[in-house]
Structure formats: C-alpha cells, structure tokens
C-alpha cells in the first residue's frame, strides 16, 4: 500500500501526481503507445539534428581539437601505417578508415557519421529506459540529454565521444541486467549479464581511454559491496570479457610502447604545466608523474586543482548546472 492510500479528496498534489502517473503506466502496459508519445518522440529526434546542424556548419576547420588526429589515423589504418598513435584509441579511426580519403568529403562524411552515432545513442537510451522505467522516464532522460548544449557542439566534431556514449549506455544497462533488475531473458543468470557488460565496457575502452574508468568503478563496487563473495563468477565474467575485447589494443601498445595501457595524455601530457610545454620541452615525453612531483610543491599541486576546478566551472558551467534541465524537471 502506498502512502496516498486511504486519503480523502483533500489529498496533496504530490499524491494526485503519483496516482496519475501510476494509472498512466498501468494503461500503457495494456495499450499501444499513444499518439502523443509518438509525436513527442518524433519532435525530440527531429529537433536534435536541427539544433546540432548550426554547430556542424561552424565546424569547418578539421585541425581543431582532436579531429585532425582521428582523420589522420583513419587514413593511416587504410594505408597500413599504424593502428593508433598511442593517444587516440583505434575503434573510431578503424570505422573512419572504411571511407577515408584525401578529399574534403571525408571530413564532411565523418561529421555526419558522428551525428548519426549520437542519434543512435539517443534511440538506445529511449528504448532501454522505456523498457526499464516506463515511457515517462525514457522521454525525460532523452530530452535532458538531447538539450545538453555541450553535447550539441560535441556530436558534430570528429571525436570519439558520440560513439563512446553509445557503448557507455549499453555497459551500464547490462550491468543493471546482470544484477537481475531488468527484463532481459538472461536476467536470472548474473554471469551472462555481467559478461555482456564487460564486453560493452571493453568496446567503450577501444573507443576512448575513459572507458577503463568504468572497469575501475565495477571492481571497486564489487569489492566494496561484497558482491564478489556471493557471485564471484559474475565478477570474473565481467573482467574476462573486458580483457578479451581490449586485448588487440593492449598487445599493440605493448609491442610499440612497452606498456599495454600506454596513453600519451595520462603518461605525459597530464603532467605539463601548460600545453606550451609540448613544444618547449626537449622531449615531449620527459614530463611524467615523478618529474612533476619532484619539481612542484604541495602548494603548487593544490593551486593547480583549485584553478582547474574554477576554469571547469567557468567554461563548462552550463553543463554542470544546466538551467534548461531544471526547467524541464520542474515542468515534468
């Protein structure tokens, strides 16, 4: 029995909203999706590329951000030169290599491909959230994601984030399924759900190095919650699936840089005082964690954290504290 049961006509607004949402959810289980939901979905998926299009047109310089690196790697893979440069992971360049060329159309096609990846990610988000939590939550989550101003500027660049987002969503979903929370046929079999989650996490890592953080989060959760004691096979399944998927990149890195998890940014660039160091230092790989700690005081380190945090808020404040998201949540 819920907290609104037994109340008279003077029930508070919260209870009325709860009751209405519950009735809508119950009806949606026995009736097909209503026309208004279809219209809302169409509006979202038409509005998103329309809002992103101006960003795509303004992105005429392929040398901005990491676009030049990804486009170049696509050409390198096609020409059999290399799989990765030790910084940008291989899956997006591998896809780009399928149509890479020295023509201007290559850049345009790559931008459109990333926009398609973003639309597909929103589709997956809508489908999975509708399956798990209902159409109301699904529409709200897609609206909040699609209207993110930083996302609109990101999906029209030839960078890894749109493709990475797709597999991040899938990894979290199958992790949830592995816990038996969802509706998949294998949800009673934890090892299968977690193995698929591990594979999706591995693909996310092949897209972008950030994907490895999800593996770290999973291991910390499994150890901290004690889940590994009761379901150690599920934990092993996740980790094994992850390493099987990422093994080609690990082997390539080991052969070329002597470290399976080598990444130029985390190994060197992170320890620059500024990007000018890349050009000023005699060797761009001379900056390391040990060299940074040896040449900086505790005060320097704290100052860097504070100034970096303030810069993040100043440049990405609309993402961290999106006003439009609060408006949508208030209306909903």
């Amino acid at each position: 029995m819920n907290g609104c049961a037994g109340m008279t006509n003077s029930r508070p607004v919260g209870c009325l909203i709860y009751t209405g949402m519950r009735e809508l959810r119950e009806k949606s289980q026995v009736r097909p999706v209503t026309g208004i939901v279809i219209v809302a979905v169409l509006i979202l998926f038409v509005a998103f590329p329309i809002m992103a299009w101006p960003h795509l047109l303004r992105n005429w310089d392929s040398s901005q951000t990491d676009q030049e690196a990804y486009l170049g790697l696509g050409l390198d893979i096609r020409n059999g030169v290399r799989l990765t440069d030790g910084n940008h992971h291989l899956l997006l360049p591998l896809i780009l290599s399928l149509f890479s060329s020295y023509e201007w159309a290559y850049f345009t096609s790559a931008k459109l491909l990333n926009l398609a990846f973003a639309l597909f990610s929103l589709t997956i988000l809508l489908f999975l959230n509708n399956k798990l939590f209902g159409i109301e939550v699904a529409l709200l989550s897609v609206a909040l994601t699609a209207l993110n101003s930083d996302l609109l500027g990101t999906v029209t660049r030839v960078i890894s984030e749109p493709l990475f987002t797709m597999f991040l969503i899938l990894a979290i979903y199958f992790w949830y399924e592995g816990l038996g929370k969802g509706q998949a046929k294998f949800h009673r079999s934890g090892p299968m759900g977690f193995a698929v989650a591990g594979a999706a996490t591995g693909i996310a890592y092949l897209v972008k190095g950030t994907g490895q953080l999800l593996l770290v989060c999973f291991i910390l959760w499994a150890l901290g919650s004690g889940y590994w004691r009761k379901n150690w096979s599920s934990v092993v399944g996740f980790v094994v699936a992850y390493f099987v998927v990422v093994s080609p990149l690990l082997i390539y890195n080991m052969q070329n840089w002597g470290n399976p998890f080598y990444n130029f940014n985390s190994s060197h660039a992170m320890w620059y005082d500024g990007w000018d160091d890349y050009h000023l230092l005699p060797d761009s790989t001379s900056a390391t964690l040990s060299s940074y700690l040896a040449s900086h005081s505790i005060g320097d380190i704290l100052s860097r954290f504070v100034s970096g945090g303030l810069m993040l808020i100043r440049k990405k404040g609309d993402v961290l504290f999106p006003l439009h998201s609060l408006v949508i949540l208030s209306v909903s």
Side-chain angles (χ1 to χ4, degrees), residues 69 71-86 90 93-94 97 100 102 252 255-257:
L71 292 168
L73 280 173
L75 288 167
D76 286 345
I77 292 175
R78 188 178 186 88
N79 295 326
V81 176
R82 55 180 178 174
L83 281 178
T84 175
D85 56 5
L90 59 85
L94 193 62
S97 70
S100 62
Y102 293 96
Y252 186 84
Q255 291 175 340
N256 288 273
W257 290 283

mmCIF file of all heavy atoms in Angstrom, residues 69 71-86 90 93-94 97 100 102 252 255-257:
data_model
loop_
_atom_site.group_PDB
_atom_site.id
_atom_site.type_symbol
_atom_site.label_atom_id
_atom_site.label_comp_id
_atom_site.label_asym_id
_atom_site.label_seq_id
_atom_site.Cartn_x
_atom_site.Cartn_y
_atom_site.Cartn_z
ATOM 1 N N ALA A 69 43.694 14.415 -35.715
ATOM 2 C CA ALA A 69 44.320 13.153 -35.316
ATOM 3 C C ALA A 69 43.466 11.956 -35.722
ATOM 4 O O ALA A 69 43.979 10.961 -36.252
ATOM 5 C CB ALA A 69 44.566 13.142 -33.814
ATOM 6 N N LEU A 71 41.064 11.836 -38.061
ATOM 7 C CA LEU A 71 41.005 11.743 -39.520
ATOM 8 C C LEU A 71 42.311 11.177 -40.077
ATOM 9 O O LEU A 71 42.310 10.342 -40.998
ATOM 10 C CB LEU A 71 40.727 13.118 -40.116
ATOM 11 C CG LEU A 71 39.335 13.712 -39.832
ATOM 12 C CD1 LEU A 71 39.290 15.184 -40.214
ATOM 13 C CD2 LEU A 71 38.258 12.939 -40.575
ATOM 14 N N GLY A 72 43.434 11.620 -39.506
ATOM 15 C CA GLY A 72 44.734 11.117 -39.946
ATOM 16 C C GLY A 72 44.912 9.637 -39.654
ATOM 17 O O GLY A 72 45.457 8.891 -40.480
ATOM 18 N N LEU A 73 44.440 9.202 -38.486
ATOM 19 C CA LEU A 73 44.548 7.781 -38.149
ATOM 20 C C LEU A 73 43.678 6.924 -39.068
ATOM 21 O O LEU A 73 44.044 5.793 -39.401
ATOM 22 C CB LEU A 73 44.138 7.555 -36.691
ATOM 23 C CG LEU A 73 45.196 7.872 -35.637
ATOM 24 C CD1 LEU A 73 44.613 7.770 -34.236
ATOM 25 C CD2 LEU A 73 46.397 6.937 -35.774
ATOM 26 N N GLY A 74 42.533 7.466 -39.468
ATOM 27 C CA GLY A 74 41.697 6.743 -40.426
ATOM 28 C C GLY A 74 42.447 6.489 -41.726
ATOM 29 O O GLY A 74 42.389 5.385 -42.301
ATOM 30 N N LEU A 75 43.176 7.496 -42.181
ATOM 31 C CA LEU A 75 43.997 7.342 -43.387
ATOM 32 C C LEU A 75 45.162 6.378 -43.145
ATOM 33 O O LEU A 75 45.495 5.552 -44.008
ATOM 34 C CB LEU A 75 44.527 8.708 -43.829
ATOM 35 C CG LEU A 75 43.507 9.664 -44.450
ATOM 36 C CD1 LEU A 75 44.095 11.066 -44.550
ATOM 37 C CD2 LEU A 75 43.065 9.162 -45.823
ATOM 38 N N ASP A 76 45.782 6.484 -41.962
ATOM 39 C CA ASP A 76 46.916 5.603 -41.643
ATOM 40 C C ASP A 76 46.497 4.136 -41.619
ATOM 41 O O ASP A 76 47.225 3.260 -42.111
ATOM 42 C CB ASP A 76 47.514 5.988 -40.291
ATOM 43 C CG ASP A 76 48.315 7.286 -40.355
ATOM 44 O OD1 ASP A 76 48.637 7.716 -41.473
ATOM 45 O OD2 ASP A 76 48.606 7.860 -39.288
ATOM 46 N N ILE A 77 45.341 3.865 -41.036
ATOM 47 C CA ILE A 77 44.861 2.478 -40.982
ATOM 48 C C ILE A 77 44.568 1.974 -42.395
ATOM 49 O O ILE A 77 44.899 0.837 -42.746
ATOM 50 C CB ILE A 77 43.603 2.383 -40.094
ATOM 51 C CG1 ILE A 77 43.979 2.662 -38.630
ATOM 52 C CG2 ILE A 77 42.946 1.005 -40.220
ATOM 53 C CD1 ILE A 77 42.790 2.721 -37.692
ATOM 54 N N ARG A 78 43.954 2.823 -43.202
ATOM 55 C CA ARG A 78 43.643 2.427 -44.585
ATOM 56 C C ARG A 78 44.922 2.144 -45.378
ATOM 57 O O ARG A 78 44.961 1.225 -46.213
ATOM 58 C CB ARG A 78 42.836 3.528 -45.264
ATOM 59 C CG ARG A 78 42.294 3.138 -46.640
ATOM 60 C CD ARG A 78 41.474 4.260 -47.238
ATOM 61 N NE ARG A 78 40.842 3.862 -48.487
ATOM 62 C CZ ARG A 78 39.658 3.273 -48.577
ATOM 63 N NH1 ARG A 78 38.962 3.021 -47.479
ATOM 64 N NH2 ARG A 78 39.151 2.941 -49.749
ATOM 65 N N ASN A 79 45.970 2.905 -45.084
ATOM 66 C CA ASN A 79 47.244 2.744 -45.801
ATOM 67 C C ASN A 79 48.180 1.750 -45.122
ATOM 68 O O ASN A 79 49.322 1.566 -45.570
ATOM 69 C CB ASN A 79 47.941 4.102 -45.929
ATOM 70 C CG ASN A 79 47.153 5.076 -46.788
ATOM 71 O OD1 ASN A 79 46.490 4.679 -47.746
ATOM 72 N ND2 ASN A 79 47.205 6.359 -46.445
ATOM 73 N N GLY A 80 47.733 1.128 -44.032
ATOM 74 C CA GLY A 80 48.543 0.123 -43.352
ATOM 75 C C GLY A 80 49.719 0.670 -42.591
ATOM 76 O O GLY A 80 50.718 -0.037 -42.386
ATOM 77 N N VAL A 81 49.645 1.935 -42.156
ATOM 78 C CA VAL A 81 50.762 2.569 -41.451
ATOM 79 C C VAL A 81 50.770 2.219 -39.972
ATOM 80 O O VAL A 81 51.787 1.778 -39.426
ATOM 81 C CB VAL A 81 50.704 4.103 -41.627
ATOM 82 C CG1 VAL A 81 51.819 4.772 -40.815
ATOM 83 C CG2 VAL A 81 50.785 4.478 -43.097
ATOM 84 N N ARG A 82 49.658 2.401 -39.296
ATOM 85 C CA ARG A 82 49.576 2.134 -37.856
ATOM 86 C C ARG A 82 48.114 2.044 -37.441
ATOM 87 O O ARG A 82 47.213 2.487 -38.161
ATOM 88 C CB ARG A 82 50.259 3.249 -37.056
ATOM 89 C CG ARG A 82 49.718 4.645 -37.363
ATOM 90 C CD ARG A 82 50.411 5.719 -36.564
ATOM 91 N NE ARG A 82 49.902 7.056 -36.913
ATOM 92 C CZ ARG A 82 50.250 8.170 -36.283
ATOM 93 N NH1 ARG A 82 51.109 8.119 -35.263
ATOM 94 N NH2 ARG A 82 49.761 9.333 -36.661
ATOM 95 N N LEU A 83 47.875 1.474 -36.236
ATOM 96 C CA LEU A 83 46.522 1.357 -35.697
ATOM 97 C C LEU A 83 46.179 2.522 -34.774
ATOM 98 O O LEU A 83 45.013 2.930 -34.676
ATOM 99 C CB LEU A 83 46.365 0.039 -34.925
ATOM 100 C CG LEU A 83 46.146 -1.227 -35.747
ATOM 101 C CD1 LEU A 83 46.073 -2.438 -34.818
ATOM 102 C CD2 LEU A 83 44.881 -1.123 -36.589
ATOM 103 N N THR A 84 47.164 3.030 -34.066
ATOM 104 C CA THR A 84 46.931 4.119 -33.120
ATOM 105 C C THR A 84 48.215 4.910 -32.935
ATOM 106 O O THR A 84 49.305 4.413 -33.241
ATOM 107 C CB THR A 84 46.434 3.584 -31.761
ATOM 108 O OG1 THR A 84 46.334 4.655 -30.823
ATOM 109 C CG2 THR A 84 47.382 2.548 -31.199
ATOM 110 N N ASP A 85 48.068 6.123 -32.439
ATOM 111 C CA ASP A 85 49.235 6.976 -32.210
ATOM 112 C C ASP A 85 49.674 6.971 -30.755
ATOM 113 O O ASP A 85 50.490 7.786 -30.343
ATOM 114 C CB ASP A 85 48.933 8.408 -32.650
ATOM 115 C CG ASP A 85 47.701 8.980 -31.960
ATOM 116 O OD1 ASP A 85 47.132 8.304 -31.077
ATOM 117 O OD2 ASP A 85 47.306 10.103 -32.309
ATOM 118 N N GLY A 86 49.124 6.045 -29.952
ATOM 119 C CA GLY A 86 49.474 5.999 -28.536
ATOM 120 C C GLY A 86 48.679 6.966 -27.702
ATOM 121 O O GLY A 86 48.926 7.100 -26.498
ATOM 122 N N LEU A 90 41.600 3.069 -31.113
ATOM 123 C CA LEU A 90 41.541 2.644 -32.504
ATOM 124 C C LEU A 90 40.160 2.466 -33.130
ATOM 125 O O LEU A 90 40.038 2.429 -34.359
ATOM 126 C CB LEU A 90 42.329 1.344 -32.676
ATOM 127 C CG LEU A 90 41.883 0.118 -31.845
ATOM 128 C CD1 LEU A 90 40.767 -0.643 -32.510
ATOM 129 C CD2 LEU A 90 43.082 -0.823 -31.647
ATOM 130 N N PRO A 93 38.871 5.511 -35.517
ATOM 131 C CA PRO A 93 39.677 5.560 -36.749
ATOM 132 C C PRO A 93 39.480 4.334 -37.639
ATOM 133 O O PRO A 93 39.538 4.442 -38.869
ATOM 134 C CB PRO A 93 41.119 5.630 -36.221
ATOM 135 C CG PRO A 93 40.996 6.245 -34.876
ATOM 136 C CD PRO A 93 39.714 5.710 -34.321
ATOM 137 N N LEU A 94 39.259 3.177 -37.007
ATOM 138 C CA LEU A 94 39.029 1.964 -37.793
ATOM 139 C C LEU A 94 37.757 2.096 -38.630
ATOM 140 O O LEU A 94 37.725 1.693 -39.803
ATOM 141 C CB LEU A 94 38.927 0.764 -36.852
ATOM 142 C CG LEU A 94 38.991 -0.625 -37.485
ATOM 143 C CD1 LEU A 94 40.335 -0.841 -38.172
ATOM 144 C CD2 LEU A 94 38.746 -1.697 -36.428
ATOM 145 N N SER A 97 38.344 4.574 -41.421
ATOM 146 C CA SER A 97 39.211 4.058 -42.492
ATOM 147 C C SER A 97 38.405 3.417 -43.619
ATOM 148 O O SER A 97 38.904 3.270 -44.738
ATOM 149 C CB SER A 97 40.202 3.037 -41.918
ATOM 150 O OG SER A 97 39.539 1.838 -41.534
ATOM 151 N N SER A 100 37.815 6.611 -45.679
ATOM 152 C CA SER A 100 38.806 7.696 -45.618
ATOM 153 C C SER A 100 39.364 8.007 -46.998
ATOM 154 O O SER A 100 39.506 7.130 -47.856
ATOM 155 C CB SER A 100 39.942 7.316 -44.667
ATOM 156 O OG SER A 100 40.619 6.168 -45.140
ATOM 157 N N TYR A 102 41.559 11.608 -49.253
ATOM 158 C CA TYR A 102 42.197 12.913 -49.150
ATOM 159 C C TYR A 102 41.282 14.019 -49.691
ATOM 160 O O TYR A 102 41.725 15.145 -49.895
ATOM 161 C CB TYR A 102 43.527 12.907 -49.900
ATOM 162 C CG TYR A 102 44.552 12.006 -49.246
ATOM 163 C CD1 TYR A 102 44.738 10.703 -49.690
ATOM 164 C CD2 TYR A 102 45.314 12.453 -48.168
ATOM 165 C CE1 TYR A 102 45.662 9.858 -49.091
ATOM 166 C CE2 TYR A 102 46.240 11.625 -47.566
ATOM 167 C CZ TYR A 102 46.413 10.329 -48.021
ATOM 168 O OH TYR A 102 47.326 9.506 -47.417
ATOM 169 N N TYR A 252 49.032 -4.389 -29.085
ATOM 170 C CA TYR A 252 49.641 -3.378 -29.964
ATOM 171 C C TYR A 252 50.439 -2.370 -29.141
ATOM 172 O O TYR A 252 51.559 -1.999 -29.505
ATOM 173 C CB TYR A 252 48.555 -2.683 -30.771
ATOM 174 C CG TYR A 252 49.086 -1.716 -31.809
ATOM 175 C CD1 TYR A 252 49.479 -2.173 -33.062
ATOM 176 C CD2 TYR A 252 49.203 -0.357 -31.533
ATOM 177 C CE1 TYR A 252 49.973 -1.297 -34.026
ATOM 178 C CE2 TYR A 252 49.704 0.528 -32.475
ATOM 179 C CZ TYR A 252 50.090 0.049 -33.727
ATOM 180 O OH TYR A 252 50.577 0.925 -34.657
ATOM 181 N N GLN A 255 53.673 -3.898 -27.851
ATOM 182 C CA GLN A 255 54.675 -4.058 -28.895
ATOM 183 C C GLN A 255 55.333 -2.732 -29.265
ATOM 184 O O GLN A 255 56.516 -2.697 -29.609
ATOM 185 C CB GLN A 255 54.031 -4.676 -30.146
ATOM 186 C CG GLN A 255 53.612 -6.128 -29.971
ATOM 187 C CD GLN A 255 52.872 -6.661 -31.185
ATOM 188 O OE1 GLN A 255 52.345 -5.894 -31.995
ATOM 189 N NE2 GLN A 255 52.824 -7.974 -31.323
ATOM 190 N N ASN A 256 54.573 -1.647 -29.190
ATOM 191 C CA ASN A 256 55.080 -0.360 -29.674
ATOM 192 C C ASN A 256 55.580 0.564 -28.569
ATOM 193 O O ASN A 256 56.464 1.391 -28.822
ATOM 194 C CB ASN A 256 53.991 0.355 -30.469
ATOM 195 C CG ASN A 256 53.724 -0.269 -31.810
ATOM 196 O OD1 ASN A 256 54.371 0.049 -32.798
ATOM 197 N ND2 ASN A 256 52.768 -1.206 -31.854
ATOM 198 N N TRP A 257 55.040 0.451 -27.341
ATOM 199 C CA TRP A 257 55.427 1.372 -26.274
ATOM 200 C C TRP A 257 55.843 0.662 -24.990
ATOM 201 O O TRP A 257 56.185 1.308 -24.019
ATOM 202 C CB TRP A 257 54.290 2.351 -25.976
ATOM 203 C CG TRP A 257 54.082 3.334 -27.091
ATOM 204 C CD1 TRP A 257 54.846 4.439 -27.372
ATOM 205 C CD2 TRP A 257 53.077 3.284 -28.103
ATOM 206 N NE1 TRP A 257 54.362 5.079 -28.484
ATOM 207 C CE2 TRP A 257 53.274 4.395 -28.957
ATOM 208 C CE3 TRP A 257 52.012 2.424 -28.373
ATOM 209 C CZ2 TRP A 257 52.466 4.658 -30.058
ATOM 210 C CZ3 TRP A 257 51.205 2.674 -29.463
ATOM 211 C CH2 TRP A 257 51.434 3.773 -30.297
#
